[in-house]
Amino acid sequence: MSEPDIATKAPESDAFEPSAISDQDSRAQTGASMGEHCVTDRPNPEGRQPSGEMSKFGDVDIYISKPADYPNAPAKLLLLLTAGTGVHSINNQVQADIFAEQGFVVIMPDQFNGDPAPNSKPVPTQEENPGILEQFKLKAAETAKSFMVDMWLARQTPEKVIPILLKVIETAKDEYADAVAHGDGIYCAGYCFGGKYTVLLAGEYPAFEGQAAKDEEAGPVKKGPLIKAGALAHATLVTREDLKAVKAPLTFACVEHDPLFPAEILEEGKKLFASSNIEHEIKIYSDVPHGFAVYGDYDSASIREAQGEAFQQMLKWLQSH
């Protein structure tokens, strides 16, 4: 694994012109399909159970986890955006608890509005060398599940997800005004699907226009950023347009050779950040699967080590901003 690639401050420059930006980025990544690490919980180490609680912000289900000494001791507010497994995943809830143990009030919303990703874990077989018919059945089942995941992903559009996040952010500002004030803003951590929306919330994005304005007399619409700083791991469906809009500091924990976040998009993001003087950090993790950074057990010691490193990378970034 390489050391973090930390950007240096660069002067404003118009010399770099980003390449054409379109939905082609998202379509290409969707074509890679989301694997089981994006839509299936990993084994739970030591049977750890969540310590937070389910609640609601209006009609949005949320999981809330708080430091043990809150509100007697101040804490920052962290918005945690999940992979396809969603808000009811034990892995995701424990991940929120781990951030809470480090001094954050964690709000994890149901960004899928009750529609988490279908389980795409391959069907197990008892046969070491299944016959041709069994092989066909297994392949057909895997293909069907992959199709279901792709259909689900097509439903999860920014037009659907962003209004949910904006509603959660506005409610959090009221319900946990002390935590927002202590951090001088809202922080965000995103995994997989949630990584893209961490990027969007860190940027000036047209989809925010009109959503944040309460009335015509409210003044100019603030298009973003809506977070102070963000941390993301193995993001999916991030486009050049998303990266071009970024204004808040971001750290990226990326998987080497990840078709869900292609190297060419990440490399162009580096150029965009440098040209716009955006503080950022990028670390590439090799020999790990997409989804490795989410809480959950792996047989490989090297993957478990990388998981811990990615959490520390994200935590230190959030704590230092």
Side-chain angles (χ1 to χ4, degrees), residues 1 47 70 75 106 125-126 137 144 202 206 229 240 245 296 308:
M1 290 176 288
Y70 177 82
V106 183
T125 177
Q126 300 298 321
K137 289 180 179 178
R240 294 167 174 85

Side-chain angles (χ1 to χ4, degrees), residues 238-256:
V238 175
T239 68
R240 294 167 174 85
E241 181 74 11
D242 300 338
L243 297 173
K244 179 183 178 183
V246 168
K247 299 297 180 183
L250 291 176
T251 187
F252 296 75
C254 301
V255 175
E256 188 177 26

Side-chain angles (χ1 to χ4, degrees), residues 49-62:
Q49 293 301 304
S51 59
E53 62 181 4
M54 291 298 302
S55 185
K56 279 185 175 290
F57 278 0
D59 60 351
V60 180
D61 287 336
I62 60 167

Side-chain angles (χ1 to χ4, degrees), residues 75-315:
K76 297 178 179 180
L77 185 71
L78 177 68
L79 183 67
L80 180 59
L81 305 181
T82 72
T85 44
V87 71
H88 295 287
S89 153
I90 297 297
N91 286 174
N92 293 335
Q93 291 181 355
V94 172
Q95 187 73 70
D97 296 342
I98 294 172
F99 274 111
E101 291 169 358
Q102 299 299 320
F104 292 93
V105 172
V106 183
I107 306 296
M108 186 170 71
D110 178 12
Q111 62 209 31
F112 307 121
N113 194 28
D115 181 27
N119 188 313
S120 67
K121 189 172 183 180
V123 177
T125 177
Q126 300 298 321
E127 300 181 58
E128 291 185 5
N129 297 296
I132 294 176
L133 180 59
E134 287 303 313
Q135 291 182 41
F136 176 80
K137 289 180 179 178
L138 287 170
K139 184 64 176 178
E142 291 175 11
T143 300
K145 290 176 180 178
S146 178
F147 176 76
M148 289 173 62
V149 170
D150 289 345
M151 290 294 289
W152 168 82
L153 193 58
R155 297 195 298 270
Q156 311 306 323
T157 63
E159 291 76 17
K160 176 183 176 181
V161 176
I162 287 175
I164 295 174
L165 299 183
L166 295 179
K167 183 184 299 185
V168 168
I169 287 172
E170 289 304 310
T171 304
K173 288 179 179 178
D174 292 334
E175 295 288 335
Y176 295 97
D178 60 326
V180 176
H182 179 65
D184 193 26
I186 295 175
Y187 295 80
C188 188
Y191 293 85
C192 190
F193 183 96
K196 175 183 176 71
Y197 289 86
T198 302
V199 173
L200 295 188
L201 294 176
E204 291 180 346
Y205 199 69
F208 296 151
E209 187 171 4
Q211 296 286 348
K214 300 299 182 183
D215 55 60
E216 295 181 357
E217 298 180 358
V221 175
K222 183 180 180 182
K223 298 182 182 179
L226 300 182
I227 59 174
K228 184 177 180 182
L232 51 148
H234 38 75
T236 67
L237 306 182
V238 175
T239 68
R240 294 167 174 85
E241 181 74 11
D242 300 338
L243 297 173
K244 179 183 178 183
V246 168
K247 299 297 180 183
L250 291 176
T251 187
F252 296 75
C254 301
V255 175
E256 188 177 26
H257 308 307
D258 188 353
L260 294 168
F261 196 166
E264 58 268 25
I265 294 179
L266 183 60
E267 286 302 315
E268 189 157 336
K270 291 180 183 179
K271 297 176 183 177
L272 289 166
F273 295 155
S275 67
S276 56
N277 202 32
I278 299 300
E279 185 184 0
H280 67 283
E281 175 189 60
I282 297 171
K283 184 173 182 180
I284 308 297
Y285 293 83
S286 59
D287 301 320
V288 295
H290 183 95
F292 80 97
V294 180
Y295 174 84
D297 200 12
Y298 285 91
D299 292 335
S300 167
S302 62
I303 296 178
R304 293 196 300 270
E305 180 182 354
Q307 186 181 79
E309 289 182 15
F311 175 72
Q312 288 300 319
Q313 173 191 342
M314 297 169 74
L315 176 64

